PDB file of all heavy atoms in Angstrom:
ATOM      1  N   PHE A 189      34.622  -2.508  48.488  1.00  0.00           N
ATOM      2  CA  PHE A 189      33.427  -3.258  48.098  1.00  0.00           C
ATOM      3  C   PHE A 189      33.776  -4.704  47.768  1.00  0.00           C
ATOM      4  O   PHE A 189      32.984  -5.612  48.013  1.00  0.00           O
ATOM      5  CB  PHE A 189      32.739  -2.577  46.919  1.00  0.00           C
ATOM      6  CG  PHE A 189      32.099  -1.267  47.285  1.00  0.00           C
ATOM      7  CD1 PHE A 189      32.634  -0.067  46.835  1.00  0.00           C
ATOM      8  CD2 PHE A 189      30.978  -1.230  48.088  1.00  0.00           C
ATOM      9  CE1 PHE A 189      32.048   1.146  47.173  1.00  0.00           C
ATOM     10  CE2 PHE A 189      30.385  -0.026  48.433  1.00  0.00           C
ATOM     11  CZ  PHE A 189      30.926   1.168  47.980  1.00  0.00           C
ATOM     12  N   LEU A 197      32.111 -14.258  51.707  1.00  0.00           N
ATOM     13  CA  LEU A 197      32.586 -15.579  51.300  1.00  0.00           C
ATOM     14  C   LEU A 197      33.177 -16.345  52.476  1.00  0.00           C
ATOM     15  O   LEU A 197      32.922 -17.544  52.647  1.00  0.00           O
ATOM     16  CB  LEU A 197      33.633 -15.445  50.186  1.00  0.00           C
ATOM     17  CG  LEU A 197      33.111 -15.052  48.809  1.00  0.00           C
ATOM     18  CD1 LEU A 197      34.259 -14.737  47.868  1.00  0.00           C
ATOM     19  CD2 LEU A 197      32.243 -16.166  48.231  1.00  0.00           C
ATOM     20  N   VAL A 212      41.518  -4.066  37.757  1.00  0.00           N
ATOM     21  CA  VAL A 212      41.803  -2.695  38.167  1.00  0.00           C
ATOM     22  C   VAL A 212      40.687  -1.790  37.670  1.00  0.00           C
ATOM     23  O   VAL A 212      40.483  -1.659  36.464  1.00  0.00           O
ATOM     24  CB  VAL A 212      43.168  -2.210  37.636  1.00  0.00           C
ATOM     25  CG1 VAL A 212      43.425  -0.775  38.076  1.00  0.00           C
ATOM     26  CG2 VAL A 212      44.293  -3.118  38.118  1.00  0.00           C
ATOM     27  N   ARG A 355      38.395   7.767  65.956  1.00  0.00           N
ATOM     28  CA  ARG A 355      38.082   6.989  67.156  1.00  0.00           C
ATOM     29  C   ARG A 355      37.917   7.858  68.400  1.00  0.00           C
ATOM     30  O   ARG A 355      37.105   7.548  69.281  1.00  0.00           O
ATOM     31  CB  ARG A 355      39.176   5.946  67.396  1.00  0.00           C
ATOM     32  CG  ARG A 355      39.158   4.809  66.386  1.00  0.00           C
ATOM     33  CD  ARG A 355      40.324   3.856  66.592  1.00  0.00           C
ATOM     34  NE  ARG A 355      40.204   2.687  65.730  1.00  0.00           N
ATOM     35  CZ  ARG A 355      40.537   2.659  64.458  1.00  0.00           C
ATOM     36  NH1 ARG A 355      41.029   3.779  63.882  1.00  0.00           N
ATOM     37  NH2 ARG A 355      40.390   1.562  63.736  1.00  0.00           N
ATOM     38  N   PRO A 372      37.869 -13.644  62.204  1.00  0.00           N
ATOM     39  CA  PRO A 372      38.732 -14.285  61.198  1.00  0.00           C
ATOM     40  C   PRO A 372      38.466 -13.809  59.775  1.00  0.00           C
ATOM     41  O   PRO A 372      39.396 -13.651  58.975  1.00  0.00           O
ATOM     42  CB  PRO A 372      38.410 -15.777  61.373  1.00  0.00           C
ATOM     43  CG  PRO A 372      37.996 -15.899  62.803  1.00  0.00           C
ATOM     44  CD  PRO A 372      37.246 -14.631  63.105  1.00  0.00           C
ATOM     45  N   PRO A 379      42.658  -4.773  53.738  1.00  0.00           N
ATOM     46  CA  PRO A 379      43.014  -4.108  52.477  1.00  0.00           C
ATOM     47  C   PRO A 379      44.511  -3.905  52.367  1.00  0.00           C
ATOM     48  O   PRO A 379      45.227  -3.778  53.370  1.00  0.00           O
ATOM     49  CB  PRO A 379      42.272  -2.768  52.570  1.00  0.00           C
ATOM     50  CG  PRO A 379      42.073  -2.530  54.031  1.00  0.00           C
ATOM     51  CD  PRO A 379      41.896  -3.893  54.640  1.00  0.00           C
ATOM     52  N   SER A 383      51.909  -2.728  43.783  1.00  0.00           N
ATOM     53  CA  SER A 383      52.528  -1.870  42.775  1.00  0.00           C
ATOM     54  C   SER A 383      51.819  -1.975  41.432  1.00  0.00           C
ATOM     55  O   SER A 383      51.876  -1.070  40.605  1.00  0.00           O
ATOM     56  CB  SER A 383      53.997  -2.247  42.604  1.00  0.00           C
ATOM     57  OG  SER A 383      54.122  -3.614  42.207  1.00  0.00           O
TER      58      SER A 383
END
Side-chain angles (χ1 to χ4, degrees):
F189 290 109
L197 287 171
V212 180
R355 289 175 173 80
S383 59

